[in-house]
Amino acid sequence: MSDTAIRRALLVGLLLLGVLLATLTRQSAPTLPGEFAARTAPLFGYSFRLGQNVKASLAAIFDRRDLRAEQRKMQAELQQLRQENQRLTLENRKLQAALRVQTVQGLGVVAVAPVIDDDPSGLYRRLYLGAGSAQGLRVGMPVTTASGLVGVITEVTPNNAVVRTVLDPESRVGVRLAGAPGRGIAYGAPPSMLRVEIAPEASVKPGDKVVSGALQGLYPAGITVGIVEQVLPISPGALKKVLMVRPAVQLSLLEEVQVLKPL
C-alpha cells in the first residue's frame, strides 16, 4: 500500500473515531465519583469538542462538493446559453440581410448561403457556397447581396453550390444605364472589372450606375451591377460604345450571399 493510501486511511479512521467519541461522550457519558470524575471531565469535554469539530469539517467538505457540482452544472448551462445566443445572432444577421435585399431590390429571397471558397485556379471567377439542393437551391437562381449583383448558380449538390460571378469570363449580363436610355451587355473582365458594350448613342460618363436590365434574361431587372469608371474612345465605324465598369460587390470579401427565386 502506498504512503498516500495509508495517510488517507489514517485520516478516515481519525474522523470516524472523532464522530464516535462525540456520540458516546454526549449520549452515554458515565457518572464517575468524586475526584476521578473531576480529573476525567476535561477528557470527555475535549472528546466531545473534537467530535463536533470533525462533524463540522465533514459537513463542510460535503457542502463544498455539492457547491462544486452545482458550479459545474451552472457552467455547462451557461455554455449552452452562449452557444444558443451565437446561433440566434447568426440567424438574426441572415434574416436582416435577406430583409435588406428585399427592401432594396424588391425580390424574394430563397436562402441565405455562406461563401466557403472561391475558384483556386484563377482562370474563372466563381464562388462556392455552403448550401445546396437540401436548402432549396437550384441551377439558374440569381445570387445577390444588398450592394448588388453577384452572379448565378451553375452547379448544385445536396449541400453545396457553385456561383458563376459577374466577373467570370463566361458571364453575360443584360444591363442598362440607371436613369438614362441605353441597353447593353456586361462581360466579365477578370480580375476586377466588367466590360460593358452599349449603343454608341448612349450618353454616359464615369460615375454613372449600371443595373441589370434584360427583362427575359437570367437576372431580375434593376439590380445594381456596377459603376462606370471609364468610357473608352469610340473608333470610327464602331457599332458599340465600350465602358469599363467596377462591380458593385467586392467579391473577395463576401462571407454570405442571398439566393433569389429564378425568373
Side-chain angles (χ1 to χ4, degrees):
M1 183 179 295
S2 65
D3 292 341
T4 302
I6 293 173
R7 285 196 295 269
R8 288 179 179 174
L10 289 174
L11 177 60
V12 172
L14 288 173
L15 293 176
L16 293 175
L17 177 60
V19 173
L20 180 61
L21 287 173
T23 303
L24 292 176
T25 54
R26 184 169 183 84
Q27 297 180 357
S28 58
T31 304
L32 299 175
E35 183 180 352
F36 184 76
R39 291 177 180 272
T40 57
L43 176 61
F44 287 111
Y46 294 149
S47 299
F48 176 74
R49 287 195 296 273
L50 174 62
Q52 292 298 313
N53 290 337
V54 170
K55 289 169 65 177
S57 299
L58 288 173
I61 290 172
F62 287 118
D63 286 344
R64 282 196 294 270
R65 289 179 178 175
D66 291 341
L67 287 174
R68 291 194 191 101
E70 185 67 21
Q71 184 181 26
R72 287 193 294 268
K73 180 181 177 182
M74 293 179 66
Q75 287 175 341
E77 292 176 351
L78 179 60
Q79 182 63 24
Q80 290 178 351
L81 289 174
R82 286 175 176 168
Q83 292 175 351
E84 181 66 11
N85 182 61
Q86 291 176 350
R87 186 187 68 81
L88 292 175
T89 299
L90 180 60
E91 289 297 324
N92 182 57
R93 188 178 69 179
K94 290 181 178 180
L95 290 174
Q96 288 181 345
L99 181 60
R100 285 196 300 271
V101 168
Q102 191 158 357
T103 301
V104 173
Q105 302 172 2
L107 303 170
V109 177
V110 174
V112 178
V115 178
I116 59 175
D117 203 356
D118 54 14
D119 180 59
S121 70
L123 299 177
Y124 302 96
R125 296 306 306 271
R126 304 193 178 177
L127 299 177
Y128 297 88
L129 306 183
S133 58
Q135 290 74 38
L137 274 59
R138 301 289 184 271
V139 171
M141 285 184 167
V143 179
T144 185
T145 71
S147 299
L149 187 64
V150 174
V152 64
I153 292 178
T154 56
E155 299 176 39
V156 175
T157 64
N159 294 299
N160 296 102
V162 179
V163 177
R164 184 180 65 212
T165 72
V166 293
L167 284 177
D168 192 275
E170 296 182 358
S171 173
R172 305 288 185 271
V173 181
V175 296
R176 63 177 176 82
L177 299 174
R183 295 185 179 276
I185 302 292
Y187 301 88
S192 60
M193 298 295 287
L194 297 170
R195 185 175 184 273
V196 175
E197 294 183 357
I198 200 167
E201 298 81 13
S203 176
V204 58
K205 63 185 183 301
D208 287 350
K209 181 188 292 187
V210 176
V211 300
S212 57
L215 297 178
Q216 301 299 323
L218 292 174
Y219 307 101
I223 301 176
T224 301
V225 175
I227 303 297
V228 177
E229 282 207 350
Q230 184 181 9
V231 180
L232 299 183
I234 301 178
S235 58
L239 300 178
K240 296 291 182 180
K241 181 182 289 186
V242 177
L243 316 175
M244 299 307 296
V245 174
R246 183 166 298 279
V249 179
Q250 195 164 353
L251 300 176
S252 60
L253 299 181
L254 284 179
E255 294 184 353
E256 60 186 23
V257 294
Q258 288 73 50
V259 182
L260 308 180
K261 296 177 181 178
L263 295 180

